[in-house]
């Protein structure tokens, strides 16, 4: 697979990234969520060059998303494991999966379906919920600048506020 495109990769996350995202990071995370931990396995499954994979895994470790652990059986073997910070990315991957199946579908049908492990039933979807559990549409959500907001953020919030009044 060339590093220039995910167009041929049969994965809703990859198709989402083809249209809106950064290369490799989320498909590496997809594989980590599926239980992949070894460099060679990531490299073989994804077809990614070793130098790019090493850089991406290094950045994920540097940012505390993955933990690099030597194998107990052989110190030459390293495992990359999701940290709590990494696990918190799952809703994003789930949303990308749902989005990719809807907006970048495979002609033969879904490539992945999210199902509840205990029942095998499809999950209801991915969305944003109010404190009382109601699903919210984007038009029902406001973004409010916080104490760390700069002038550009405040300007963007004003623009959003003005647009929502129209």
């Amino acid at each position: 697979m060339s590093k220039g495109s995910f167009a041929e990769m049969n994965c809703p996350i990859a198709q989402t990234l083809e249209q809106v995202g950064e290369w490799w990071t989320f498909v590496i995370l997809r594989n980590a969520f599926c239980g992949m931990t070894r460099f060679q396995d990531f490299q073989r499954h994804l077809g990614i060059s070793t130098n790019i994979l090493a850089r991406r895994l290094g950045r994920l470790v540097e940012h505390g998303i993955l933990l690099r652990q030597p194998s107990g059986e052989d110190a030459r073997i390293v495992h990359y494991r999701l940290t709590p910070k990494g696990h918190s990315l799952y809703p994003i991957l789930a949303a990308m999966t749902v989005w990719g199946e809807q907006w970048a579908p495979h002609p033969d049908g879904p490539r992945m379906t999210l199902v509840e492990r205990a029942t095998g039933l499809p999950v209801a979807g991915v969305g944003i919920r109010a404190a009382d559990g109601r699903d919210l549409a984007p038009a029902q959500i406001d973004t409010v600048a916080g104490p760390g907001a700069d002038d550009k953020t405040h300007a963007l919030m004003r623009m959003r506020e003005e647009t929502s009044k129209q």
Side-chain angles (χ1 to χ4, degrees), residues 4 12 14-15 24 30 33 52 64 72 98 100 107 110 120 124 146:
Q15 292 302 310
W24 296 117
R30 173 204 62 194
F33 275 103
I52 291 173
V98 171

Side-chain angles (χ1 to χ4, degrees), residues 21 28-29 31 102 104 118 136 138 160 165:
I28 290 169
L29 290 170
N31 285 23
Q102 180 176 358
L136 296 174
R160 179 174 169 87
K165 292 177 184 175

